[in-house]
């Protein structure tokens, strides 16, 4: 089984990713798909690379998927997730340690061996499922449009209601 982890890389998603790395032996591969949400996509993408660079344990079959070809809305909520989206705990500098694949190329590889773990807004999740059909899907809770999950708080449903 392979896992696709869709994250907007707030602090909570970073912790979930590190937990997944520490349990990587349970999977045949891990693909990280940064998505816009708590911050714009570029920040989430760089945060994924920074997190990988600073991780103590890295799975052998780990890749980052660049989802930039999908239009995505992002917020900027430093009062929740710090100035960088992950609580300002990691140094800004990093070197790329794993391969990056485009979303289109990655989508061509996706098959029934994948489980989708969607921790951020569902813009990319909805696109993935519309193009690949039914795949096992696990979603983070808190996807409602009421406080504290919307309007400058955790707002996954609010970023793209149609995707939900």
């Amino acid at each position: 089984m392979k896992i696709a982890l869709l994250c907007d890389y707030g602090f909570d998603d970073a912790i979930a990713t590190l937990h997944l790395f520490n349990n990587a032996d349970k999977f045949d591969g891990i693909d990280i798909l940064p998505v816009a949400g708590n911050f714009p996509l570029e920040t989430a993408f760089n945060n994924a690379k920074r997190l990988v660079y600073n991780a103590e344990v890295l799975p052998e079959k780990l890749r980052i998927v660049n989802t930039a070809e999908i239009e995505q809305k992002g917020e900027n909520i430093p009062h929740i997730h710090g100035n960088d989206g992950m609580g300002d705990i990691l140094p800004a500098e990093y070197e790329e340690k794993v391969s990056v694949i485009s979303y289109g190329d990655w989508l061509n590889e996706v098959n029934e061996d994948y489980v989708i773990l969607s921790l951020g807004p569902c813009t990319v999740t909805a696109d993935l499922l519309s193009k690949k059909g039914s795949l096992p899907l696990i979603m983070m809770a808190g996807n409602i449009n009421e406080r504290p999950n919307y309007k400058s708080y955790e707002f996954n449903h609010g970023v793209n209601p149609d995707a939900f």
Side-chain angles (χ1 to χ4, degrees), residues 3-26:
I3 191 158
L5 183 63
L6 290 85
C7 295
D8 57 353
Y9 281 104
F11 188 68
D12 52 343
D13 293 358
I15 296 300
T17 301
L18 293 175
H19 178 74
L20 190 61
F21 287 178
N22 287 325
N23 292 280
D25 59 325
K26 297 175 174 67

Side-chain angles (χ1 to χ4, degrees), residues 111-143:
N111 58 36
E112 63 278 351
D113 292 338
Y114 274 86
V115 171
I116 310 304
L117 178 56
S118 183
L119 303 182
C122 287
T123 305
V124 176
T125 306
D127 183 82
L128 168 61
L129 295 176
S130 72
K131 291 178 178 168
K132 297 308 280 191
S134 179
L135 293 169
L137 172 64
I138 302 167
M139 291 178 58
M140 177 177 67
N143 296 312

Side-chain angles (χ1 to χ4, degrees), residues 2-163:
K2 296 179 181 178
I3 191 158
L5 183 63
L6 290 85
C7 295
D8 57 353
Y9 281 104
F11 188 68
D12 52 343
D13 293 358
I15 296 300
T17 301
L18 293 175
H19 178 74
L20 190 61
F21 287 178
N22 287 325
N23 292 280
D25 59 325
K26 297 175 174 67
F27 305 100
D28 298 323
I30 297 174
D31 293 330
I32 297 174
L33 287 78
V35 300
N38 292 323
F39 278 80
L41 178 59
E42 182 179 355
T43 302
F45 186 63
N46 289 332
N47 281 349
K49 292 188 278 187
R50 288 174 54 220
L51 186 64
V52 166
Y53 177 72
N54 287 283
E56 292 180 18
V57 177
L58 280 183
E60 287 183 29
K61 296 178 182 176
L62 173 66
R63 299 183 297 182
I64 297 176
V65 179
N66 186 347
T67 64
E69 63 194 72
I70 298 174
E71 184 178 335
Q72 302 172 54
K73 297 176 187 175
E75 293 278 338
N76 188 358
I77 49 176
H79 61 285
I80 301 287
H81 292 285
N83 293 313
D84 69 354
M86 291 193 301
D88 303 315
I89 61 171
L90 295 177
E93 302 79 28
Y94 65 87
E95 294 176 21
E96 294 193 22
K97 291 174 82 173
V98 298
S99 63
V100 175
I101 184 172
S102 74
Y103 179 73
D105 289 343
W106 176 80
L107 200 59
N108 289 331
E109 297 178 9
V110 173
N111 58 36
E112 63 278 351
D113 292 338
Y114 274 86
V115 171
I116 310 304
L117 178 56
S118 183
L119 303 182
C122 287
T123 305
V124 176
T125 306
D127 183 82
L128 168 61
L129 295 176
S130 72
K131 291 178 178 168
K132 297 308 280 191
S134 179
L135 293 169
L137 172 64
I138 302 167
M139 291 178 58
M140 177 177 67
N143 296 312
I144 59 173
N145 61 352
E146 298 173 6
R147 289 190 182 268
N149 294 314
Y150 186 52
K151 297 289 185 191
S152 296
Y153 290 87
E154 289 294 327
F155 61 92
N156 293 322
H157 179 270
V159 171
N160 191 342
D162 293 338

